């Protein structure tokens, strides 16, 4: 369809409606994730964005998904709440005629892999940094994934109402620890008790701070340029410091260019205080101006552009229904091209099956509703009775699979032990479905069909045990395995690989896709395998183009 609006008569509902072209639908959408180290302010910022976007009316409406104590009961409680209101996984709202889709990412480090996968479904991210703590461990890992995918990043330095590090030191830290170039677009006047607001270099205005958490309107003062005497009237002696700082910034940092931001090379930086609603509107206004439209994505055979007329999309998250009476799940589909329509048949590529969906769901802030159609950039929920695995592709028939949803080597490995032989079937089904959901990775070892479960955190084992019991009626325990890494292998010399697999049989397993994996017990044993078998390359991610750099 060509660009432009179309007025059509809807026969069944008997009204005229305005139809936008696919290009127009795409250009209205911005799909992004907010990432941060736990406690930097991700939940608070998300909530404030929704408030400014008019999607919620009061603070406190967004449920925090962070887990303060690493106890299963807390996790299950949070998951139950989230199960009831799955909307918290995707929060869509309209702002200035743009449809914004925020994808929620778990802050807890034990769920890092879930966050990595969600990052495959966004077109850009906002990175929240606590001004006192600067760059933290989790921030580094998440940024590594963004860098690998060249995801455009906007940095929001939060909690400026509290004492923190010098802003120049923070920028240096971000550049050196996260490996990205930055360009401040606003600059703070003071910090903590001396914080007076920010000077917006992009728009040439002063945004004055008022520590009123409920106030949404800010005092904005227009400034001709940095030498305007109005500055002295407004912020007194701090004006001279500000002038010096701005001069330094213009001299040291590159000019802001949207193209560089879009290619993931330059991150604009804002300062603010999410809790005090401060700097959030500026962030949102800039975001809608510069954040990229839905981007093209690679499949195993070609690059798919959002404007391609045929529908395609992939599953990046599966959310279980925690009510044991209903085994159904919600699979989250990111639409990559064309138009998705309710009740139309689509091809599930991995299992080679035609499927149609009668209740596809969209998520607007806190409401779920069944939709008739959806467009690139949108994320919709599909009710699933066990057909989907993370990474699955749906198309109008074309045989292709989206790339870039790799599994990373787990950090902790345990063997699953069946405690009730009468419930073997339930256990098999349960562990299979839970690993399809991405709760953990499953490696099967022969002989004996032994199941090694790998995770990035201890918490998942408790979750699996709890869910196996409550949802599948199976009783299981875990026995610790002393393993260092799971490595996927590639080679040009099949004979050597076969030889290796035979010789190392006790440390070989198969992953969910039937690929051989080497379970190395120690770093030393991995290194000696590498030197004994130079023909084989050992990878710590399942997708080799996007290999993560070891920390
Ligand atoms: P997270 O999702 O990244 O884990 O962080 P979250 O938003 O939950 O924020 C972590 C803590 O930091 C919260 O306090 C929150 O109120 C506080 N916070 C967020 N933004 C700001 C800010 O701009 N200034 C200040 N001073 N604090 C901020 P908490 O005591 O852990 O939780 P709560 O009891 O306030 O909910």
């Amino acid at each position: 369809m060509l660009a432009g609006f179309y007025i059509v008569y809807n026969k069944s509902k008997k009204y005229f409606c305005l139809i936008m072209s696919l290009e127009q639908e795409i250009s209205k959408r911005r799909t992004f994730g907010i990432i941060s180290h736990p406690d930097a302010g991700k939940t608070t910022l998300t909530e404030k964005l929704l408030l400014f976007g008019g999607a919620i009316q009061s603070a406190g409406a967004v449920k925090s998904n962070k887990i303060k104590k690493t106890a299963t009961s807390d996790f299950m409680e949070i998951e139950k709440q989230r199960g009831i209101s799955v909307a918290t996984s995707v929060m869509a709202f309209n702002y200035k005629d743009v449809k914004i889709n925020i994808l929620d990412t778990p802050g807890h480090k034990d769920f890092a892999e879930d966050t990595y996968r969600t990052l495959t479904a966004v077109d850009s991210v906002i990175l929240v940094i606590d001004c006192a703590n600067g760059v933290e461990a989790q921030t580094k890992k998440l940024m590594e994934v963004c860098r690998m995918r060249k995801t455009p990043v906007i940095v929001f330095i939060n909690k400026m109402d509290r004492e923190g590090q010098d802003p120049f030191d923070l920028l240096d830290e971000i550049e050196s620890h996260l490996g990205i170039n930055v360009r401040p677009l606003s600059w703070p006047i003071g910090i903590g008790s001396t914080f007076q607001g920010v000077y917006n270099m992009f728009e040439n205005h002063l945004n004055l701070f008022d520590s009123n958490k409920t106030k949404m309107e800010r005092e904005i003062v227009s400034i001709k340029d940095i030498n305007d005497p109005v500055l002295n009237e407004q912020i007194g002696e701090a004006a001279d410091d500000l002038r010096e700082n701005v001069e330094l910034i213009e001299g040291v940092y590159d000019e802001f260019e949207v193209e560089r931001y879009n290619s993931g090379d330059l991150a604009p930086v804002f300062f603010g205080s999410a809790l005090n609603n401060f700097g959030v509107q500026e962030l949102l206004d800039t975001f809608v101006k510069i954040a990229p439209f839905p981007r093209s994505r690679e499949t195993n055979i070609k690059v798919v552009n959002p404007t391609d007329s045929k529908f395609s999309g992939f599953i990046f998250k599966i959310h279980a229904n925690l009510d044991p009476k209903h085994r159904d799940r919600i699979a989250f589909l990111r639409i990559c091209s064309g138009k998705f329509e309710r009740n139309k048949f689509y091809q599930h590529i991995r299992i080679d099956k035609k499927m149609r969906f009668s209740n596809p769901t969209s998520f607007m802030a806190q409401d779920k509703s069944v939709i008739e159609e959806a467009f690139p950039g949108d994320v919709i929920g599909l009710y699933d009775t066990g057909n989907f695995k993370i990474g699955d592709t749906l198309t109008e028939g074309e045989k292709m699979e989206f790339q870039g949803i790799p599994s990373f080597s787990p950090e902790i490995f345990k063997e699953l032990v069946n405690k009730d032989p009468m419930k073997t079937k339930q256990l098999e089904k349960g562990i299979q479905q839970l690993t399809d959901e991405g709760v953990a990775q499953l490696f099967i070892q022969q002989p004996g069909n032994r199941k090694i479960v790998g995770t990035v955190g201890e918490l998942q084992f408790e979750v699996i045990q709890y869910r196996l019991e409550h949802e599948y009626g199976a009783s299981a325990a875990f026995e610790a395995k002393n393993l260092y890494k799971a490595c996927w292998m590639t080679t040009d010399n099949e004979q050597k690989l076969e030889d290796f697999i035979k010789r190392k049989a006790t440390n070989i397993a198969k992953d969910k896709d039937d690929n051989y994996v080497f379970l190395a017990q120690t770093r030393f044993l991995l290194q000696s395998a590498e030197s004994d078998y130079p023909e084989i390359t050992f990878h710590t991610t399942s997708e080799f183009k996007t290999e993560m750099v070891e920390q």
Side-chain angles (χ1 to χ4, degrees):
M1 200 186 270
L2 294 172
F5 290 101
Y6 293 77
I7 297 174
V8 285
Y9 184 63
N10 182 325
K11 269 192 206 148
S12 61
K13 295 190 176 154
K14 297 203 167 64
Y15 59 74
F16 285 98
C17 52
L18 207 58
I19 291 197
M20 278 188 280
S21 69
L22 181 58
E23 287 83 350
Q24 280 170 326
E25 294 284 1
I26 293 167
S27 66
K28 272 175 69 112
R29 281 164 172 77
R30 307 286 184 279
T31 303
F32 77 106
I34 303 184
I35 56 174
S36 75
H37 189 86
D39 273 349
K42 182 173 75 72
T43 312
T44 313
L45 180 63
T46 306
E47 180 166 272
K48 296 305 161 76
L49 290 173
L50 294 177
L51 267 175
F52 277 101
I56 54 171
Q57 267 59 54
S58 62
V62 176
K63 289 256 173 306
S64 165
N65 69 350
K66 70 185 163 165
I67 302 151
K68 290 201 165 159
K69 285 172 267 158
T70 49
T72 328
S73 55
D74 286 3
F75 170 77
M76 295 320 294
E77 206 30 61
I78 289 161
E79 277 297 285
K80 266 188 207 148
Q81 289 170 8
R82 282 158 61 79
I84 296 160
S85 168
V86 190
T88 49
S89 289
V90 184
M91 288 159 281
F93 65 98
N94 291 311
Y95 182 75
K96 295 192 170 169
D97 211 25
V98 171
K99 184 177 176 203
I100 298 180
N101 296 308
I102 307 182
L103 305 197
D104 194 16
T105 55
H108 196 284
K109 75 168 177 28
D110 284 9
F111 294 87
E113 186 139 357
D114 194 10
T115 302
Y116 300 152
R117 285 190 298 252
T118 300
L119 290 179
T120 63
V122 303
D123 299 304
S124 68
V125 302
I126 292 181
L127 169 63
V128 185
I129 287 182
D130 179 328
C131 71
N133 298 341
V135 173
E136 296 173 84
Q138 190 69 357
T139 329
K140 273 196 207 166
K141 282 203 155 179
L142 294 169
M143 261 312 296
E144 195 144 349
V145 178
C146 294
R147 250 201 346 262
M148 202 159 87
R149 304 180 57 80
K150 299 195 167 38
T151 309
V153 178
I154 297 180
V155 179
F156 183 74
I157 299 185
N158 192 28
K159 306 196 187 180
M160 292 302 291
D161 58 316
R162 282 203 190 154
E163 299 307 322
Q165 298 183 37
D166 174 76
F168 281 109
D169 291 347
L170 277 168
L171 295 184
D172 282 353
E173 197 174 305
I174 296 171
E175 288 205 319
S176 62
H177 288 45
L178 301 182
I180 44 168
N181 301 303
V182 295
R183 163 72 209 206
L185 290 188
S186 75
W187 195 253
I189 303 152
I191 190 164
S193 54
T194 62
F195 186 53
Q196 295 196 59
V198 295
Y199 175 64
N200 185 321
M201 292 178 262
F202 205 42
E203 313 275 359
N204 275 343
H205 68 226
L206 265 185
N207 183 358
L208 294 172
F209 179 65
D210 172 353
S211 64
N212 180 345
K213 296 179 181 53
T214 53
K215 196 170 164 188
M216 302 285 283
E217 292 298 317
R218 293 286 144 190
E219 200 182 328
I220 303 286
V221 182
S222 289
I223 303 287
K224 260 201 282 56
D225 58 46
I226 192 72
N227 294 317
D228 193 332
V230 173
L231 265 185
N232 299 67
E233 285 161 30
Q234 293 291 336
I235 56 171
E237 286 175 2
D240 289 338
D241 272 354
L242 177 67
R243 288 190 181 105
E244 252 177 53
N245 288 337
V246 169
E247 199 181 322
L248 197 61
I249 292 162
E250 317 254 272
V252 171
Y253 295 99
D254 293 352
E255 285 242 353
F256 177 70
E257 285 170 36
V258 179
E259 297 72 34
R260 285 187 65 195
Y261 155 70
N262 262 307
S263 58
D265 179 42
L266 186 69
V269 180
F270 288 89
F271 293 84
S273 166
L275 190 63
N276 293 288
N277 303 327
F278 188 79
V280 178
Q281 179 132 31
E282 273 171 327
L283 176 71
L284 189 55
D285 285 341
T286 313
F287 174 82
V288 292
K289 269 189 213 150
I290 66 171
F293 301 172
R295 308 165 101 197
S296 50
R297 284 187 150 66
E298 270 182 52
T299 69
N300 55 339
I301 54 165
K302 65 173 193 182
V303 172
V304 170
N305 290 311
T307 48
D308 292 353
S309 60
K310 288 207 166 24
F311 157 78
S312 67
F314 66 90
I315 305 292
F316 65 94
K317 185 183 178 92
I318 295 176
H319 200 294
N321 185 340
L322 289 177
D323 179 350
K325 283 187 252 95
H326 302 280
R327 188 65 65 64
D328 58 340
R329 315 186 285 186
I330 293 184
F332 288 84
L333 175 86
R334 151 87 200 209
I335 295 162
C336 298
S337 67
K339 177 161 93 169
F340 173 93
E341 288 173 77
R342 182 161 93 101
N343 277 329
K344 191 168 168 179
F345 276 102
Y346 293 118
Q347 190 74 17
H348 183 322
I349 300 298
R350 179 178 54 83
I351 58 174
D352 195 20
K353 185 175 159 185
K354 281 203 161 30
M355 295 178 78
R356 62 182 183 149
F357 305 93
S358 52
N359 292 311
T361 310
S362 79
F363 309 91
M364 286 302 282
Q366 293 180 303
D367 302 319
K368 287 194 280 177
S369 57
V370 171
I371 44 120
E372 293 298 327
E373 55 186 31
F375 296 92
D378 284 341
V379 169
I380 56 172
L382 303 176
Y383 285 91
D384 173 40
T385 49
N387 285 307
F388 286 120
K389 277 189 193 186
I390 285 176
D392 280 345
T393 299
L394 281 180
T395 73
E396 280 190 34
E398 199 168 0
K399 288 206 170 7
M400 60 182 185
E401 289 186 280
F402 284 96
Q403 307 285 287
I405 311 198
S407 301
F408 298 92
S409 171
E411 316 265 322
I412 308 172
F413 298 83
K414 293 189 184 186
E415 182 167 350
L416 183 72
V417 182
N418 187 0
K419 302 276 277 184
D420 182 356
M422 302 292 284
K423 298 282 171 62
T424 305
K425 256 196 182 154
Q426 284 88 332
L427 183 73
E428 291 275 339
K429 185 168 180 194
I431 194 68
Q432 204 63 52
Q433 290 201 346
L434 293 182
T435 46
D436 285 354
E437 268 176 39
V439 179
Q441 290 182 57
L442 180 64
F443 303 101
I444 310 259
Q445 271 195 312
Q446 299 302 347
N449 214 21
R450 289 162 53 214
K451 295 176 180 59
I452 311 290
V453 175
T455 70
V456 284
E458 281 290 345
L459 190 54
Q460 275 110 323
F461 291 105
E462 290 177 42
V463 171
I464 294 169
Q465 210 166 355
Y466 181 98
R467 290 190 54 189
L468 283 173
E469 191 182 326
H470 288 81
E471 292 171 42
Y472 298 89
S475 172
F478 284 105
E479 255 173 33
K481 292 289 265 180
N482 214 356
L483 294 172
Y484 165 63
K485 286 264 150 79
C487 298
W488 287 265
M489 296 169 282
T490 50
T491 185
D492 289 331
N493 188 334
E494 286 302 324
Q495 188 56 47
K496 281 279 177 206
L497 186 60
E498 263 177 46
D499 181 40
F500 179 77
I501 289 169
K502 251 190 227 147
R503 290 192 57 181
K504 299 276 178 191
T506 50
N507 285 88
I508 297 290
K510 279 195 169 175
D511 75 354
K512 62 179 171 36
D513 299 318
D514 244 11
N515 296 315
Y516 280 112
V517 175
F518 173 48
L519 301 175
Q521 280 156 310
T522 61
R523 180 192 277 264
F524 172 76
L525 286 174
L526 175 58
Q527 283 165 348
S528 44
E530 281 170 333
S531 66
D532 294 348
Y533 288 84
E535 304 83 357
I536 303 175
T537 317
F538 297 85
H539 310 268
T540 52
T541 73
S542 66
E543 222 169 77
F544 318 119
K545 263 193 307 188
T546 50
E547 189 105 20
M548 277 259 281
V549 180
E550 282 269 332
Q551 291 275 313

